């Protein structure tokens, strides 16, 4: 009886807290609407979870940035200006603005999701200060896509087989990674990759294992190298002026629930990475109705060692050369300490 009374008390307290929230309507520009992170997490979070948990006091409209005719790289500027109040965007979109945006997702830095999260959380305070002071944007959280891996419409058995291949990349550091292995980097939008693989414009392409499945890359590629290159983390953020105008109770309510959203996405990342492997290759474990027939290339210890060596000898030094002294100090004090790495000019 005591347990039941306690549970009832919590429910009553939660309902009372929800009623205390002032009526608030929010506008959200989310991530890519055709990908799982948006469809399974972000969209239902704002459209359903937030209204339900607030007792209908806090409601939101959300559209993926692609549905609004945006390309992605302009989102930070639009959030800074307050044109976009709340937004979600992949950090790599802002790499050309400042190389600090590449710090947590350098190829080879995080060979598994646990390391990726450790690296992200270590560096998050650096980003909070950087965006807050420079862009007047408040960082609410950082989530991730599933592992970024290599799809090829060509026979590959290891990383060294990238030599001479034309590979679609989506960021500067991915391009440097491909070039470090003797491949040629080709920059193109996600939506252009299927015909490019089909027509031989590129031999390979890098994206999330499940993102590639969702976009039916298994129809135009034959081999999938199951080695996480990087993760493509996303920031969830809000214009500082917009945030400051919200009632403090709404701020606390939103931050608490966004923390849970981010945690849920991270927890799903490992499972979704594996689901991408399973469904692109038609493994029995795939529960999706359509299964691909790709060949899964399991990385060897030599591949993993080669990726780590390339990180230390090529990726990190190249990145450090374009990063500021403050940027490198931020890396060494956080990620460097976590992973036993030191970067210098």
């Amino acid at each position: 009886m005591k347990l039941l009374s306690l549970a009832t008390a919590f429910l009553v307290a939660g309902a009372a807290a929800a009623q205390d929230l002032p009526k608030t309507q929010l506008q959200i520009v989310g991530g890519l609407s055709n990908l799982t992170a948006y469809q399974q997490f972000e969209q239902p979070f704002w459209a359903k979870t937030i209204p339900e948990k607030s007792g209908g006091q806090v409601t939101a409209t959300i559209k993926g940035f692609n549905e609004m005719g945006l390309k992605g790289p302009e989102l930070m500027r639009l959030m800074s200006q307050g044109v976009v109040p709340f937004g979600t965007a992949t950090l790599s979109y802002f790499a050309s603005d400042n190389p600090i945006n590449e710090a947590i997702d350098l190829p080879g830095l995080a060979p598994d999701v646990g390391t990726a999260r450790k690296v992200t959380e270590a560096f998050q305070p650096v980003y909070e200060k950087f965006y807050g002071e420079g862009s007047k944007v408040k960082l609410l959280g950082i989530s991730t896509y599933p592992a970024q891996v290599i799809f090829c419409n060509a026979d590959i058995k290891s990383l060294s087989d990238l030599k001479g291949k034309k590979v679609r990349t989506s960021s500067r550091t991915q391009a440097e990674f491909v070039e470090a292995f003797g491949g040629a980097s080709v920059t193109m939008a996600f939506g252009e990759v299927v015909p490019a693989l089909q027509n031989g414009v590129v031999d390979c392409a890098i994206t999330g294992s499940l993102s590639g499945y969702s976009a039916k890359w298994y129809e135009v590629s034959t081999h999938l190298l199951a080695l996480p290159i990087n993760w493509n983390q996303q920031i969830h953020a809000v214009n500082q002026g917009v945030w400051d105008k919200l009632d403090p109770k709404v701020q606390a309510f939103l931050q608490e629930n966004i923390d849970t959203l981010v945690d849920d996405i991270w927890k799903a990342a490992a499972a979704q990475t594996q689901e991408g492997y399973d469904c692109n290759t038609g493994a029995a474990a795939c529960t999706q109705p359509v299964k691909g027939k790709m060949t899964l290339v399991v990385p060897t210890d030599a591949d993993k060692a080669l990726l780590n060596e390339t990180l230390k000898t090529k990726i990190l030094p190249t990145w450090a050369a374009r990063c500021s002294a403050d940027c490198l100090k931020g890396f060494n004090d956080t990620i460097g300490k976590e992973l036993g790495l030191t970067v210098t000019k």
Side-chain angles (χ1 to χ4, degrees), residues 14 52 55 71 79 86 151 161 172 177 204 246 257 284 298 303:
E52 285 180 357
K71 296 185 183 301
M79 275 195 280
F86 285 77
F151 289 72
D161 289 335
R172 177 166 55 188
F177 158 80
C204 306
L246 294 175
N257 283 284
V298 179
D303 271 327

Side-chain angles (χ1 to χ4, degrees), residues 15-183:
Q19 287 172 355
D20 286 344
L21 295 169
K23 278 276 187 187
T24 307
Q25 168 66 34
L26 306 173
Q27 286 182 302
I28 318 296
V29 176
L32 277 167
S33 64
N34 58 338
L35 298 184
T36 312
Y38 179 89
Q39 293 171 354
Q40 293 186 6
F41 293 97
E42 201 178 1
Q43 197 276 340
F45 172 80
W46 290 108
K48 189 175 179 204
T49 305
I50 286 298
E52 285 180 357
K53 287 198 171 183
S54 68
Q57 293 298 101
V58 182
T59 53
T61 58
I62 180 170
K63 280 189 174 181
F65 69 79
N66 53 308
E67 295 178 300
M68 303 185 73
L70 301 174
K71 296 185 183 301
E74 70 274 55
L75 271 170
M76 183 58 72
R77 175 173 50 81
L78 295 176
M79 275 195 280
S80 182
Q81 295 168 349
V83 177
V84 169
F86 285 77
T88 302
T90 304
L91 270 166
S92 62
Y93 289 156
F94 314 128
S96 60
D97 296 338
N98 193 309
I100 198 171
N101 292 307
E102 301 167 313
I104 62 173
D105 202 31
L106 297 164
L109 195 63
D112 57 74
V113 72
T115 306
R117 187 164 193 181
K118 189 193 302 181
V119 162
T120 301
E121 290 177 347
F123 204 73
Q124 184 161 330
V126 180
Y127 281 143
E128 287 171 356
K129 184 181 179 188
F130 175 72
Y131 293 130
E133 292 178 356
S135 303
K136 307 302 179 196
V137 169
K138 178 176 175 60
L139 190 61
L140 298 170
I142 306 177
S143 64
T144 190
Y145 282 112
Q148 301 291 297
V149 292
I150 302 169
F151 289 72
C152 286
N153 194 10
D155 186 6
I156 61 161
K157 295 182 173 62
S158 68
L159 276 176
S160 56
D161 289 335
L162 289 179
K163 186 174 183 179
K165 300 284 193 299
K166 293 172 291 184
V167 185
R168 177 265 180 177
T169 58
S170 59
S171 67
R172 177 166 55 188
T173 54
Q174 278 187 2
E176 290 167 354
F177 158 80
V178 166
E179 287 155 12
F181 286 97

